[in-house]
Amino acid sequence: MKIQEADAKDLLLGQGLPVPGWTVARTPAEARTSAEHWLAEGASQVVIKAQVLVGGRGKAGGVKLAGSAEEAEQVAGRILGMDIKGIPVRKVLVAAAAEIVREYYLGAVLDRAGRRILLMGSAEGGVDIEQVAVDHPEAITSLHADPYLGLLDHQARHLAFAMGLGAHWKAGAAVAKGLVQTMLANDADLVEINPLAVVREAAPDGASTERLVCLDAKITLDESALARHPGLDALRDPDEEDPIDREAREAGISFIKLHGTIGCMVNGAGLAMTTMDLIKRAGGEPANFLDIGGGARADKVAAAMRLILTDPKVDAILVNIFGGITRGDEVARGLIEARAQQTRSVPMVVRIVGTNATEADGLLREARFETAASLDEAAAKAVAASAGSDGSAGMPA
Ligand code: GDP
Ligand code: MN
């Protein structure tokens, strides 16, 4: 789950990282009030940043400076009217504009293959880090942090020096350790600061000082770990969640869209994987992974059917239920109800075994559903019914 910059900055502050203050505005008038606040605090300009869950806002014109409260109101009005990569901007962040001396990149991601946290730092910050990785891979320093020990002091120092932080190495090492702490404390998959910047600030004696601060923040949280962090679910931005993902989440269904033509409705993740494998073996392509979970009732089956049919490529559906806690007759009733509500007619093959399979079979026959006794038979029938598959691959002897 991606969270907005302002929320990500809150999580960084929670781990003691240096993040300059900000306010969030939803209207140009609010942005004006925010700007008045920062200008009164001594800022000579304010920065106004679109709050949308995509990168590259700067390049898209979603990050702008303003020198007065009036200008801030106008700039915010323009940004609030924008679409960035198809997403309408509904909020902006307003902060005292930093005087940037140099921009760095620092990011941490979960390295699944390495089973550790991967940290990446670079003096080539502010810009597209993916492009730096392609053009100058040597400009990026990476190292692994142990998930139990966190980032060790010597690793943090090594990274800070390798990034060329020079006099700011101590602050840089602290930020690197804090990044890993932020990841561990919130079960994040990714924490990225781009730019991590050395900024010039006025000192009380009229001279200026330099300080290392997090000017941008991007955090992705592990959906599956949200149950461990009751407060974090509130950071989900309903405006930006895919409506299909939302319906699946609210119904308690695991649904992942794929590229094929055969919709799958299965109970249990392992059985869903097997079903997809058998569809492929029979010469077809699954359109989705779908696990309705254990003990699914009729309404959940209907919700699963709606999700499958949102994909216009689906031209056949395979229902494979192994009744344990889930009762076959409940699923059959759900299928009958779902078909009655269906806006588009798609051939369906149903295989139900286990608890109450006989009752299910009776109900399905009465409602004239196509049924199959074995999974191989069900897969073959679904593939034959789908125009998207070539049908040439037969079942193995
Ligand atoms: P992104 O484009 O979505 O990654 O948004 P960022 O917050 O990283 O902003 C993009 C760029 O705008 C940064 O790399 C900076 O160069 C510039 N920028 C952001 N905040 C400030 C600021 O406070 N002062 C100045 N001068 N530039 C800023
Ligand atoms: Mn950025």
Side-chain angles (χ1 to χ4, degrees), residues 29-308:
E30 278 179 29
R32 182 191 181 106
T33 310
S34 293
E36 280 164 357
H37 167 79
W38 296 113
L39 294 168
E41 295 260 297
S44 55
Q45 291 188 98
V46 291
V47 62
I48 298 166
K49 304 173 71 175
Q51 296 294 285
V52 281
L53 297 176
V54 293
R57 294 164 301 168
K59 269 190 198 157
V63 177
K64 290 269 188 282
L65 299 176
S68 67
E70 295 75 53
E71 197 188 348
E73 182 170 357
Q74 285 167 14
V75 169
R78 278 202 296 279
I79 294 180
L80 285 164
M82 283 171 63
D83 265 21
I84 298 185
K85 299 182 185 167
I87 303 175
V89 180
R90 294 185 172 89
K91 298 176 283 257
V92 291
L93 178 149
V94 184
E99 189 186 329
I100 299 174
V101 178
R102 177 139 198 203
E103 298 184 310
Y104 299 84
Y105 171 90
L106 191 60
V109 289
L110 192 67
D111 175 3
R112 289 174 200 279
R115 298 157 94 191
R116 283 175 292 169
I117 292 168
L118 179 69
L119 264 114
M120 286 167 287
S122 177
E124 304 285 321
V127 292
D128 213 348
I129 195 71
E130 287 80 6
Q131 202 53 45
V132 176
V134 173
D135 298 341
H136 313 281
E138 71 289 348
I140 300 176
T141 302
S142 55
L143 54 84
H144 278 110
D146 186 281
Y148 293 106
L149 303 174
L151 189 68
L152 300 174
D153 286 339
H154 74 89
Q155 292 183 300
R157 280 196 300 273
H158 170 78
L159 187 62
F161 279 114
M163 284 169 67
L165 280 165
H168 297 282
W169 73 266
K170 263 191 190 164
V175 170
K177 290 186 75 163
L179 215 65
V180 172
Q181 277 314 313
T182 305
M183 224 174 151
L184 294 173
N186 301 290
D187 283 311
D189 304 323
L190 173 135
V191 180
E192 194 180 63
I193 303 173
N194 189 24
L196 170 70
V198 171
V199 298
R200 189 167 292 126
E201 291 178 343
D205 61 2
S208 67
T209 55
E210 283 187 1
R211 189 162 80 99
L212 190 67
V213 294
C214 306
L215 276 194
D216 187 14
K218 186 166 158 187
I219 294 184
T220 309
L221 300 171
D222 180 349
E223 286 274 353
S224 307
L226 283 176
R228 309 206 310 184
H229 309 281
L232 294 183
D233 202 47
L235 305 185
R236 189 186 299 281
D237 194 329
D239 290 342
E240 293 194 34
E241 189 180 17
D242 185 315
I244 293 173
D245 288 346
R246 177 161 54 217
E247 177 164 9
R249 182 172 54 78
E250 286 173 356
I253 295 168
S254 305
F255 177 79
I256 295 161
K257 197 170 169 304
L258 301 167
H259 302 291
T261 57
I262 301 175
C264 305
M265 188 192 307
V266 188
N267 65 326
L271 191 58
M273 300 291 275
T274 308
T275 305
M276 286 159 42
D277 282 347
L278 290 187
I279 287 173
K280 286 194 87 115
R281 190 168 73 168
E285 281 294 334
N288 64 273
F289 168 95
L290 191 155
D291 171 13
I292 59 170
R297 315 282 304 193
D299 54 344
K300 210 167 167 188
V301 173
M305 193 60 69
R306 276 198 302 278
L307 287 169
I308 292 172

